[in-house]
Amino acid sequence: MSSLSLANSLVETLPAGEEGLFNPWKDCCVHDAEGNGPAQKLERLAQHLDCSPEFILVGEAPGYQGCRYSGVAFTSERLLGEGVIPRIPALSRRLSTRRLPFSEPSATIVWKTLYRLGIAERTILWNALQLHPYRVNNVWSNRTPSSSEIALGEPALRLLIEAFPVAKIITVGKKAEGLLHEMDISTTGSVRHPANGGATEFAAGLKNML
């Protein structure tokens, strides 16, 4: 299966148009810059998946400063503009209409750690729920997804894991750890999510696991 076919198959498992849940590869955002719609985000996702990964890091859910506009988990407009994301060419245009490019703290921490450990080229990033949970009437917000919302991500996650059967799965945070446990899928382990002061523990946990 090609990386674009895989990306399409993953996205097809996810609902679109849900209130309080934004699908980056099907829904359009009023703050998307011209030329950064669902098709462009899907293309970047396919580029990200175009490898034989040794590791799959599974987080909780996309944020408004990251995947909502980039189309790739733990990846921000700023990082893409700097051209530091493997397999994805540096941006030639903006992704959002915000005055300055979005820079997601968790994304910066994750990629900095992956490069320091020498596994950036061999890692795929995903989320338990690959839909951005936001507070209604405020698209530039993040909220904790409910258990029923997290469950919406199970078909895509199972499909991704089946596509890369030899990859080691590492969960990032309790939500991802809980979903993989419910799916009865064994993982290499779990690390602290880098958000809310967890950067040091995340980096140390990932290093120890390797």
Side-chain angles (χ1 to χ4, degrees):
M1 181 184 295
S2 71
S3 60
L4 183 57
S5 295
L6 175 58
N8 269 307
S9 296
L10 294 169
V11 170
E12 284 305 308
T13 70
L14 300 168
E18 299 283 326
E19 187 175 57
L21 291 174
F22 180 81
N23 184 325
W25 311 281
K26 290 185 179 180
D27 299 332
C28 294
C29 176
V30 65
H31 298 295
D32 278 330
E34 184 178 358
N36 186 44
Q40 288 74 31
K41 295 170 192 176
L42 182 67
E43 181 180 3
R44 282 191 291 273
L45 175 60
Q47 291 169 336
H48 177 63
L49 297 174
D50 191 17
C51 67
S52 298
E54 185 175 349
F55 305 98
I56 298 176
L57 263 60
V58 183
E60 179 179 300
Y64 76 91
Q65 299 180 90
C67 185
R68 184 183 178 98
Y69 297 101
S70 71
V72 179
F74 288 112
T75 300
S76 69
E77 183 179 6
R78 181 181 66 81
L79 291 174
L80 286 169
E82 293 172 354
V84 299
I85 307 303
R87 300 178 297 282
I88 303 179
L91 298 176
S92 59
R93 61 176 68 184
R94 289 289 307 279
L95 301 185
S96 73
T97 59
R98 186 174 183 263
R99 187 176 68 85
L100 295 175
F102 276 114
S103 180
E104 186 181 63
S106 292
T108 302
I109 293 165
V110 166
W111 282 105
K112 183 178 180 180
T113 303
L114 294 179
Y115 274 106
R116 185 187 301 126
L117 296 176
I119 60 171
E121 295 279 355
R122 297 177 284 141
T123 301
I124 279 178
L125 304 175
W126 195 250
N127 282 301
L129 171 66
Q130 267 292 51
L131 301 170
H132 168 222
Y134 63 94
R135 295 189 295 276
V136 178
N137 299 323
N138 184 7
V139 298
W140 284 354
S141 65
N142 297 321
R143 65 174 175 81
T144 302
S146 66
S147 297
S148 60
E149 288 172 336
I150 286 287
L152 294 174
E154 179 178 339
L157 182 55
R158 193 176 295 279
L159 182 61
L160 181 71
I161 292 171
E162 290 173 353
F164 302 111
V166 300
K168 299 177 179 67
I169 305 163
I170 299 174
T171 56
V172 182
K174 295 297 183 182
K175 292 287 186 180
E177 183 180 14
L179 179 61
L180 268 297
H181 178 74
E182 290 178 11
M183 292 169 62
D184 197 28
I185 293 178
S186 60
T187 68
T188 298
S190 181
V191 294
R192 163 81 186 266
H193 197 286
N196 302 316
T200 301
E201 285 186 53
F202 165 78
L206 194 55
K207 181 180 179 180
N208 291 338
M209 204 167 295
L210 300 183

